[in-house]
């Protein structure tokens, strides 16, 4: 079933090549191959019990009726083929028959006569020879002509049946039915493969012995029914659907698997009092991405004002979630509680303090009340939501009755009442108050003992639109105000445990409709869609052999609905006005609108820049000031921060502007006349440097032409702005770089000065020199620019102009006072030969010469003693290996000064960079330990072992085989300040011991730093101190080693720690009194926990005393005391004797058995068989967290 191609709606289509429109159909029928019946291109699943987004076709073959009506009995045919759709209101109906004669001579596309239904014309559209198939193609289309088109927003929800029947025998017919939402854009719908051409003209139609097309005539009947659209989206395909336009609300974008988050956020957003409370949190001075309150405010403001679906990326980033967290579906209840806690903490001290507690918190009482004496023990607690059992309950009321069910404590389970001894008692929970907004968590996911896995509970579970909570209050509760609750939200999960989708049905106003919030799509919903269709349970009307409905997420077939409510939101009816109060623009923080407007303006500027990019040319300009501020290689650092004085300026200029216009722009920034500025083209050299090459000769040339002529196509256009103060008669004097033939042009040379005293290397200026000048002659020129004579010790850098063609002084006698080096490239700094000419030294325009003062031996020693560099080449090497490393404490602190950066050399040894960090922190560097950083998460990776031979580069970029580990940051380290030196620490080993203070039901981790060559006795002192044990108790301490949740051995005090593997688990406990007082006949056995199979071990193993002659019923009493497991939980345990072999079958024990009478081997164990509670929930990675 598919719409007709738009191209086929035009009447002027040409027929097939070499074939007239009225070609004899018999010619074509002869070419057809015998094929199957009238199959249709539709899916045969997901068609029952759920609202469909696309048309449904029910072929006539699928309808099993004992009586086949005649095609001319229109009422019977309509009842047979066009059954009424439940829960939909019929607006209009119509029936029309088109009698066709001369079928074989019809044009390629034929239309029947118009008929009216619902105030609009309709007609049948027929492709008698097939719409590119060997079937007659039949469609229903709205009959508006081109000059009488319906309005753009017109639509009609139509159920229709098209029937082809014989003119001579109305019992010969075929029918197909569909539903479709007709609109101005989709004006036709129907069946491309309605009836096979060969069968239509055969002598027998489906074994009737009669032809469908008899004497070239046939009838076509259309049955049409228009339904009222209750939600505005009935049979909508959601192409170009606008949620804001249709509902006034927008959705939230799904980042990957955040639909559960979206449904919760929409629920909280439409709890208007919650939204208003969030807006009251002061965040104007904390507008940063890590602030979850600010991010939630922005999200709510965007939901309130945006025209399109809103992204949650800012919010999840503020939570500190990474990519892996985005693609994990988390527990909504846990997320809701943590989010409430974070927001409540941010509200302290503000006008919104306690607002969430007043909205969401109720009180319940847990009590134990004696039956025969006047004694009750009770505790009143706050709750934010109520978890209700679904399994075993059919409705919300049944779940509440189950929740407050009273348990009688009698017999062996009597309650010990203080002052009254053991007493029969009643134990239970009762509600003291219910909150204004009641969140009910339905336990749709539970552990299935039979399947040994978590499963979704799809049982039918009903909940009302209005809920009366009064029956579940205590007798003394305040009932001055009714406890009637109106349903506000239904959060739904569709799918099963492993795959599914979350969405929500919410009622934004007390007197309004429910709306479905499905990620970025918001649609109006009916009350049935919000309630009954989310009860779960079996699908209705599973007839005609249907085995179930296919789950769209798991692709499995089931008779139970895959969609069911897992969270309900009720609002107390007497408080609806307070909870659903209007929230407008004035209620939101003013800075949100200001910030978002600024961001939108910036985005608009970027958009405009992109659109106009072809008109503009980006140009980077380097000035003398940039060069002088730069400290490093080349003229400048092209990647420098734009805010620094050494960074080049970037201009965005019109391509059609001239070089002269741009020169004026640069001159204005330099505060000079345009005549005193000259632009040079900069080029990329083969040695990977970028230097000036030649001045732009023509000021009337366009910048686009200059870029095309002098710059590489794939390189940015870079210019050097030369300036001069040498003006004669109002005209700037420039050295002639293009002299007359026969004259040698001067060379433009840039000068850098290495100051050994200050350890700086900066640009000094530029000079023009003759090619024939010797290198030694440069020294007096530089001295003249410096303002000091040869041999003068003190130097004063001057700002004298250096743009003129300078001649060296005639006197060049005496030892030179400067060293000269040519900066060829980053790794090649060569000293210059004094007697060579500049031409012989291959100096050309744009080359850089570095100079430094000649140091005395005393000055060199003094500089070297402080770790400085005395030679420019050494300093260049330092710059080439310099790296800015970020240091942060491994355990975060609130002191911002604890995070810092240092400029270090990659060649530094471990001791050298450790000393630099120690100097910064003012601590002994031997007490520092460093840890590398994971690049993807920013979390600590691995401690750095002290290796005097290792360089900082090797620490930051460790090699792994032939490859470099890319998941480690190369510019950051964590540090720890230790209580001992690192060398001493490396002689120790961290051992974790699990301390058992109460049987085997509670454990506490104790981390101990013990000598690697130590013994178990060395652990006792730390355990004694951390567990607050007395000397007497410490004497009863013992430690045992476990593997796979089974005891391997009890460790004597003199056992060496080297013999304890890292993968072993150590438990420490006080030897039980029963074991200390054991008789000589008594013996001990190791016990452990398992879940059905002996290899599925879990829990904490222990050592247990076995007494001769004791029946197991009495042994169990001692086991309960030993383990700390009591009551019903203990009654669920099964006990077995286990052989050491993993594959041995357990021998289960009865109450009459005597363990001592059994033939046991020394390595046999006692097994406790019970469910492993640690795996009852699906693996979802780490727990939810919000930063």
């Amino acid at each position: 079933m598919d719409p007709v191609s738009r191209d086929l709606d035009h009447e002027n289509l040409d027929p097939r090549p070499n074939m007239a429109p009225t070609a004899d159909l018999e010619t074509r029928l002869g070419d057809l191959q015998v094929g199957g019946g009238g199959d249709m291109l539709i899916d045969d699943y997901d068609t029952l019990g759920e609202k469909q987004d696309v048309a449904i076709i029910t072929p006539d073959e699928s309808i099993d009726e004992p009586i086949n009506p005649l095609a001319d009995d229109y009422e019977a045919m309509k009842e047979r083929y066009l059954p009424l759709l439940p829960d939909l209101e019929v607006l209009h109906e119509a029936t029309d028959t088109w009698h066709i004669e001369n079928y074989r001579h019809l044009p390629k596309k034929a239309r029947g006569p118009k008929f009216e239904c619902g105030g609009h014309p309709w007609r049948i559209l027929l492709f008698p020879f097939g719409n590119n198939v060997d079937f007659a193609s039949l469609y229903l289309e709205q009959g508006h002509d081109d000059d009488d088109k319906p309005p753009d927003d017109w639509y009609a929800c139509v159920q229709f049946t098209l029937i082809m029947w014989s003119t001579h025998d109305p019992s010969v017919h075929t029918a197909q039915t569909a539903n479709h939402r007709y609109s101005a854009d989709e004006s036709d719908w129907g069946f491309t493969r309605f009836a096979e051409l060969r069968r239509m003209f055969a002598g027998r139609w489906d074994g009737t012995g009669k032809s469908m097309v008899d004497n070239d005539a046939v009838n076509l009947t259309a049955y049409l029914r228009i339904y009222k659209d209750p939600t505005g989206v009935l049979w909508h395909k959601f192409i170009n659907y606008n949620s804001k336009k249709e509902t006034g609300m927008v959705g939230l974008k799904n980042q990957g698997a955040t639909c559960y988050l979206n449904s919760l956020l929409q629920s909280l957003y439409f709890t208007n009092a919650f939204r208003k409370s969030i807006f009251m949190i002061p965040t104007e001075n904390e507008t940063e991405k890590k602030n979850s309150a600010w991010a939630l405010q922005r999200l709510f403001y965007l939901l309130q004002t945006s025209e399109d679906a809103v992204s949650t990326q800012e919010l999840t980033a503020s939570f500190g979630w990474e990519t892996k967290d985005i693609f994990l579906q988390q527990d909504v209840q846990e997320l809701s509680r943590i989010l409430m806690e974070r927001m409540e903490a941010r509200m302290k001290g503000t006008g919104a303090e306690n607002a969430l507690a007043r909205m969401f918190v109720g009180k319940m009482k847990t009590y134990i009340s004696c039956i025969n004496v006047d004694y009750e023990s009770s505790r009143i607690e706050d709750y934010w939501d109520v978890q209700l059992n679904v399994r075993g309950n059919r409705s919300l009321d049944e779940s509440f009755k189950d929740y407050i069910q009273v348990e009688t404590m009698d017999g062996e389970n009597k309650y010990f009442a203080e002052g009254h001894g053991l007493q029969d008692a009643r134990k239970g929970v009762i509600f003291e108050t219910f909150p204004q907004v009641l969140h009910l968590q339905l336990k749709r996911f539970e552990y299935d003992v039979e399947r040994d896995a978590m499963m979704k509970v799809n049982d039918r579970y009903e909940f009302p639109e209005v809920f009366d909570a009064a029956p579940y209050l205590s007798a003394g509760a305040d009932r001055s105000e009714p406890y009637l609750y109106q349903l506000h939200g239904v959060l739904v999960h569709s799918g099963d445990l492993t795959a599914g989708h979350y969405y929500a049905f919410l009622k934004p106003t007390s007197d309004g409709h429910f709306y479905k919030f499905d990620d970025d799509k918001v649609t109006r919903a009916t009350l049935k869609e919000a309630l009954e269709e989310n009860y779960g349970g079996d699908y209705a009307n599973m007839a005609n052999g249907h085995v179930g409905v296919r789950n769209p997420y798991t692709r499995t077939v089931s008779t139970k609905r895959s969609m069911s409510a897992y969270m309900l939101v009720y609002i107390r009816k007497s408080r609806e006005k307070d909870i659903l109060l209007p929230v407008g623009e004035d209620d939101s923080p003013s800075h949100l609108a200001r910030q978002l407007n600024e961001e939108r303006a910036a985005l608009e500027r970027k958009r405009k820049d992109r659109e106009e990019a072809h008109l503009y040319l980006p140009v980077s300009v380097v000035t003398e000031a940039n060069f002088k501020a730069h400290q490093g290689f080349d003229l400048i650092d092209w990647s420098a921060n734009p805010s620094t004085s050494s960074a080049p300026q970037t201009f965005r200029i019109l391509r059609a502007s001239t070089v002269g216009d741009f020169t004026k722009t640069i001159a204005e920034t330099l505060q000079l006349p345009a005549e005193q500025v000259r632009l040079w083209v900069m080029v990329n050299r083969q040695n990977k440097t970028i230097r000036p090459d030649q001045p732009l000769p023509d000021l009337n040339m366009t910048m686009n032409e200059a870029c095309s002529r002098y710059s590489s196509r794939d390189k940015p256009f870079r210019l050097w702005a030369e300036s001069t103060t040498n003006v004669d008669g109002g005209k700037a004097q420039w050295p002639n770089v293009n002299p007359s033939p026969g004259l040698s042009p001067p060379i433009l040379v840039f000068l850098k000065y290495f100051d050994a005293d200050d350890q700086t290397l900066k640009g000094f200026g530029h000079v023009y020199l003759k090619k024939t000048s010797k290198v030694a002659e440069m020294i007096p020129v530089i001295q003249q620019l410096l303002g000091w004579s040869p041999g003068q010790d003190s130097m004063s850098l001057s700002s004298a102009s250096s743009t003129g063609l300078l001649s060296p002084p005639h006197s060049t006698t005496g030892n030179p006072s400067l060293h000269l080096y040519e900066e060829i490239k980053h790794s090649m700094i060569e000293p210059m030969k004094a007697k060579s000419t500049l031409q012989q030294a291959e100096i050309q325009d744009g080359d850089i010469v570095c100079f430094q003062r000649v140091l005395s031996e005393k000055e060199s020693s003094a500089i070297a003693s402080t770790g400085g560099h005395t030679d420019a080449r050494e300093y260049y090497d330092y710059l080439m290996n310099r790296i800015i490393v970020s240091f942060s404490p491994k355990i975060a602190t609130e002191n911002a000064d604890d995070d810092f950066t240092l400029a270090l050399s990659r060649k530094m040894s471990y001791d050298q960079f450790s000393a630099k960090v120690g100097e910064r922190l003012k601590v002994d560097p031997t007490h520092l330990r460093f840890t590398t950083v994971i690049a993807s998460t920013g979390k600590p990776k691995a401690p750095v072992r002290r290796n005097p031979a290792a360089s900082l580069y090797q620490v930051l970029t460790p090699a792994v085989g032939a490859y470099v580990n890319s998941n480690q940051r190369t510019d950051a380290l964590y540090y720890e300040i230790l209580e001992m030196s690192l060398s001493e620490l490396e002689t120790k080993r961290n051992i974790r011991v699990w301390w058992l203070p109460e049987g085997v039901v509670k454990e506490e981790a104790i981390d101990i730093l013990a000598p690697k060559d130590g013994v178990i006795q060395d652990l006792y002192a730390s355990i004694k101190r951390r567990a607050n044990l007395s000397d007497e108790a410490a004497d009863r301490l013992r430690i045992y080693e476990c593997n796979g949740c089974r005891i391997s051995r009890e460790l004597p005090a003199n056992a060496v720690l080297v013999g304890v593997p890292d993968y072993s688990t150590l438990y420490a406990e006080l030897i039980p009194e029963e074991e200390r007082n054991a008789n000589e006949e008594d013996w001990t056995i190791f016990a452990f926990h398992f879940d059905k199979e002996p290899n599925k071990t879990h829990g904490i193993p222990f050592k247990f005393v076995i007494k001769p002659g004791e029946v197991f019923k009495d042994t169990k009493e001692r086991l309960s005391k030993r383990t700390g497991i009591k009551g019903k939980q203990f009654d669920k345990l099964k006990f077995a004797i286990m052989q050491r072999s993993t594959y041995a079958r357990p021998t289960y024990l009865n109450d009459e058995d005597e363990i001592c009478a059994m033939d046991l081997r020394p390595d046999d164990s006692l097994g406790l068989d019970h469910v492993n509670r640690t795996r009852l929930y699906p693996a979802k990675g780490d727990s939810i967290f919000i930063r």
Side-chain angles (χ1 to χ4, degrees), residues 340-397:
M340 294 286 190
E341 289 174 5
R342 294 293 183 272
M343 294 304 106
E344 195 177 29
R346 295 303 306 269
M347 291 177 181
K348 288 189 181 298
T350 71
E353 186 171 1
N354 295 324
L356 300 188
R358 288 193 297 270
M359 243 183 292
F360 297 101
V361 173
K363 294 184 181 295
M364 68 170 63
K365 181 174 74 173
T366 304
Y367 65 89
I368 301 178
S369 178
C370 294
I371 297 174
N372 301 317
V373 297
D374 185 16
Y375 182 87
E376 181 179 285
S377 172
S378 63
R379 182 177 69 254
I380 295 180
E381 299 174 311
D382 291 342
Y383 65 90
W384 288 79
D385 53 36
V386 182
Q387 291 190 66
L388 299 174
N389 289 322
V390 172
R391 189 181 296 280
N393 298 305
R394 293 173 296 177
S395 67
L396 189 63
D397 281 301

Side-chain angles (χ1 to χ4, degrees), residues 774-998:
K774 291 188 176 181
V775 171
E777 293 175 347
M778 292 177 62
I779 296 174
V781 174
I782 296 172
Q783 289 173 335
Q784 180 179 333
L785 294 175
L786 289 168
W788 53 280
S789 59
Q792 184 177 346
D793 291 334
S794 64
M795 302 194 324
S796 175
L797 294 179
S798 69
S799 58
S801 173
S802 56
T803 59
L805 180 59
L806 302 178
S807 299
H810 295 291
S811 174
T812 58
T813 59
N815 294 326
S817 56
L818 299 174
H819 286 313
L820 302 179
Y821 304 91
E822 182 187 359
E823 182 185 317
I824 301 173
K825 60 180 180 179
H826 295 183
S827 58
M828 187 178 294
I829 314 300
E830 299 291 340
M832 300 182 70
K833 297 178 180 180
K835 295 182 179 180
S836 299
T837 64
L838 297 182
Q839 189 170 5
Q840 291 172 335
E842 298 182 350
I843 300 296
Q844 58 182 337
D845 283 330
D847 281 355
I848 298 175
V849 173
C850 174
F851 64 90
Q852 74 169 103
R853 184 168 60 90
V854 176
L855 302 175
S856 66
E857 191 172 324
K858 181 179 179 181
E859 289 174 320
S860 297
S861 300
I863 294 172
S865 65
T866 60
H869 305 280
T870 59
D871 187 276
R873 289 170 294 183
E874 294 178 1
Y875 192 75
Y876 270 104
D877 183 72
Y878 160 71
L879 290 179
M880 188 169 66
N881 291 285
R882 181 175 60 179
I883 181 174
I884 306 300
V885 183
S886 300
F887 291 90
S888 302
K890 189 173 182 179
I891 300 176
T893 65
E894 296 182 358
N895 187 358
D897 293 337
D898 290 342
D899 296 278
F900 57 91
T901 59
L902 291 178
L904 305 172
S905 172
R906 290 182 177 88
K907 292 184 175 181
M908 278 184 170
S909 66
Y910 180 94
D911 291 339
Q912 287 175 326
F913 79 77
S914 179
K916 290 286 186 182
V917 178
E919 182 181 347
R920 169 64 175 76
L921 294 172
K922 296 182 174 57
V923 298
D924 187 344
T926 62
H927 284 58
L928 290 173
R929 179 166 69 170
F930 301 98
T931 303
T932 53
V933 182
I934 300 175
S936 57
T937 64
K939 295 179 180 179
K941 185 179 181 184
V944 178
R945 296 182 64 85
R946 180 182 174 275
N947 181 2
S951 66
L952 177 61
Y953 175 79
Q954 292 171 321
V955 169
L956 293 174
T957 54
V960 180
Y963 304 94
V964 174
N965 185 357
S966 60
N967 197 27
Q968 178 178 314
R969 282 190 60 177
T970 58
D971 61 347
L973 289 171
Y974 285 110
Y975 68 86
E976 299 170 86
I977 302 176
L978 307 174
E979 297 179 356
M980 62 186 73
S981 69
L982 184 60
S983 57
E984 181 182 357
L985 177 67
E986 290 178 347
T987 65
K988 297 184 179 296
R989 172 187 174 188
N990 185 62
I991 296 179
R992 172 166 290 185
V993 179
W994 292 94
W995 165 243
L996 306 176
E998 302 174 11

Side-chain angles (χ1 to χ4, degrees), residues 96-135:
D96 184 76
T97 298
W98 176 17
H99 179 70
I100 299 176
E101 296 181 350
N102 298 318
Y103 188 97
R104 289 179 172 84
H105 299 282
L106 288 174
K108 184 174 182 179
K109 180 167 69 170
R111 286 182 169 90
K114 294 182 182 179
F115 62 96
E116 188 272 339
C117 184
H120 293 275
W122 303 87
R123 61 190 172 194
I124 296 173
L125 172 62
L126 170 67
F127 287 76
F129 310 136
N131 186 4
N132 298 317
V133 292
D134 295 326
F135 289 73

